Amino acid sequence: MTRWTSVACLVFLVLGLPDASSAQDRTGWSVSGMAGISQIRDEDETDTFDGNSLGLAADVEFRFTPNFSLGLGLFSLGRADDTFDGVDTEISVRGFSVFGRLIHPVSDTVDVYGRIGAATYYVDIDPGSVGLADLFGEDAVELGFGIDFGRQEKLAYRLEGRYYNGGKDETGALILFGFNYLFR
């Protein structure tokens, strides 16, 4: 078991404990939209690509209970520039994920949560002729944590961190701020 898997299991265990709040019913469909900073990192035997950009994410999910939801998400780690194998390179990463969230309502207006999922991503490389296309994988494990705060009846602000661990020593990270809208 890797260190990140152990951390995710611990977070899910803590968040899964019964809450003592009288939190209002927040079950049902919701959508989220977020923007923030991202990092794209790839290490191979000779070089490391490490670039930062503007990241975006949008999710739709169904909250079955006050403590559990399942959803689908789209994400973009943006475009990042770096030198890779001695070539000035721009990489763009975007993808989608299937995820679960384990939620702990702290109060009527605050939820904290952990997120785990499976992601598929696509990488665009410019210039494409540098021979790097076979270095990038397509699947990743998604881990995250966050807080919904300032919740009114349907709308809450969301602050979230995500980590993507792909194949071939590829990682991505997002720190996002946005909103969550609950349909009732």
Side-chain angles (χ1 to χ4, degrees), residues 6-166:
S6 300
V7 169
C9 289
L10 180 62
V11 167
F12 272 78
L13 177 65
V14 170
L15 293 176
L17 296 174
D19 61 88
S21 74
S22 62
Q24 56 185 295
D25 180 27
R26 299 181 190 141
T27 59
W29 288 101
S30 69
V31 296
S32 301
M34 297 168 282
I37 58 173
S38 71
Q39 180 186 38
I40 304 168
R41 186 172 175 84
D42 181 42
E43 296 182 47
D44 70 5
E45 296 173 4
T46 60
D47 249 335
T48 298
F49 179 92
D50 192 359
N52 298 304
S53 186
L54 171 69
L56 302 171
D59 296 333
V60 61
E61 65 185 295
F62 188 82
R63 191 163 173 176
F64 294 93
T65 70
N67 300 97
F68 180 71
S69 70
L70 289 175
L72 299 171
L74 298 173
F75 64 91
S76 170
L77 298 180
R79 294 187 168 280
D81 299 311
D82 204 347
T83 302
F84 198 80
D85 281 344
V87 177
D88 289 335
T89 306
E90 181 179 83
I91 293 181
S92 172
V93 179
R94 64 192 185 288
F96 65 91
S97 64
V98 176
F99 64 89
R101 284 192 319 132
L102 196 54
I103 307 154
H104 182 73
V106 176
S107 71
D108 286 340
T109 60
V110 177
D111 290 343
V112 295
Y113 60 88
R115 176 182 175 122
I116 188 166
T120 298
Y121 60 94
Y122 306 95
V123 178
D124 291 327
I125 304 165
D126 186 30
S129 61
V130 295
L132 301 176
D134 60 333
L135 293 176
F136 293 94
E138 297 177 349
D139 297 316
V141 173
E142 176 186 70
L143 299 174
F145 60 91
I147 183 170
D148 287 346
F149 60 95
R151 181 171 294 282
Q152 300 162 8
E153 184 178 340
K154 295 182 179 184
L155 187 66
Y157 299 107
R158 179 168 280 183
L159 180 62
E160 184 173 282
R162 295 184 192 177
Y163 173 76
Y164 299 93
N165 186 5

